[in-house]
């Protein structure tokens, strides 16, 4: 049985890689521009003690590549899942808010349709 790829997991981005795909994977995971991540990596390597290079290599060897199912996703989907990874509570709050709005709008439509609107009743009868 194959495992369904999780959208909230860190993957190497081999399509946009320069070396091992770690910086591209971090950029995809966080939603930060890949150039900013790469510049941060270079600055961190120059200012650091070299431990960042070891962490980079370890991540490149340990992290799995991004599954094919997740590579071909719409930009809106990618942005949504980046938001989920960055702030799950905010995402849940936003989704609940959208559902509340949809529920309110549906209730308004239901009230309009089921009300004793004489002109609407006439229009429906004329369609029969």
């Amino acid at each position: 049985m194959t495992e369904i790829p999780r959208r909230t997991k860190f993957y190497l981005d081999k399509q946009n890689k320069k070396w091992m795909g770690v910086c591209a994977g971090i950029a995809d995971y966080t939603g930060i521009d890949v150039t900013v991540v790469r510049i941060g990596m270079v600055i961190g390597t120059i200012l650091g003690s070299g431990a960042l290079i070891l962490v980079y290599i370890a991540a490149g060897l340990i992290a799995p590549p991004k599954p094919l199912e997740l590579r071909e996703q719409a930009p809106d989907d990618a942005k949504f899942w980046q938001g989920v990874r960055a702030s799950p509570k905010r995402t849940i709050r936003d989704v609940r808010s959208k559902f509340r709005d949809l529920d309110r709008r549906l209730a308004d439509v239901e009230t309009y349709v089921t009300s004793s609107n004489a002109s609407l009743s006439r229009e429906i009868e004329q369609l029969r």
Side-chain angles (χ1 to χ4, degrees), residues 14 17-18 35 40 56 99 105 107 122 125-126:
K14 298 286 188 174
K17 72 176 187 169
K18 291 294 181 193
T35 306
Y56 180 93
F99 274 116
R105 290 171 55 196
R122 277 192 305 259
E125 288 300 320
Q126 288 174 352

Side-chain angles (χ1 to χ4, degrees), residues 105-116:
R105 290 171 55 196
L106 185 59
D108 291 346
V109 169
E110 183 180 18
T111 300
Y112 179 76
V113 170
T114 59
S115 68
S116 60

Side-chain angles (χ1 to χ4, degrees), residues 5-29:
R6 295 189 334 231
R7 296 181 186 276
T8 56
K9 185 176 178 181
F10 172 75
Y11 295 106
L12 299 175
D13 188 354
K14 298 286 188 174
Q15 282 185 314
N16 300 311
K17 72 176 187 169
K18 291 294 181 193
W19 190 37
M20 294 179 82
V22 176
C23 289
I26 291 170
D28 180 54
Y29 185 82

Side-chain angles (χ1 to χ4, degrees), residues 11-127:
Y11 295 106
L12 299 175
D13 188 354
K14 298 286 188 174
Q15 282 185 314
N16 300 311
K17 72 176 187 169
K18 291 294 181 193
W19 190 37
M20 294 179 82
V22 176
C23 289
I26 291 170
D28 180 54
Y29 185 82
T30 61
I32 298 171
D33 184 61
V34 69
T35 306
V36 173
V37 174
R38 288 180 179 140
I39 290 171
M41 177 67 181
V42 169
I43 291 172
T45 303
I46 291 170
L47 298 178
S49 62
L52 193 57
I53 293 174
L54 294 175
V55 171
Y56 180 93
I57 292 171
L61 296 174
I62 294 171
K66 191 174 188 178
L68 182 62
E69 299 89 26
L70 299 181
R71 284 187 218 149
E72 300 169 358
Q73 60 183 341
D76 289 344
D77 287 345
K79 186 174 181 178
F80 172 78
W81 286 107
Q82 286 169 349
V84 169
R85 291 186 292 260
S87 178
K89 289 182 181 181
R90 185 183 70 221
T91 303
I92 290 171
R93 186 179 61 240
D94 292 346
V95 169
R96 282 184 180 157
S97 173
K98 287 180 183 179
F99 274 116
R100 269 189 241 110
D101 184 49
L102 285 172
D103 189 48
R104 182 192 52 76
R105 290 171 55 196
L106 185 59
D108 291 346
V109 169
E110 183 180 18
T111 300
Y112 179 76
V113 170
T114 59
S115 68
S116 60
N117 187 338
S119 64
L120 179 63
S121 296
R122 277 192 305 259
E123 288 179 31
I124 291 173
E125 288 300 320
Q126 288 174 352
L127 292 174

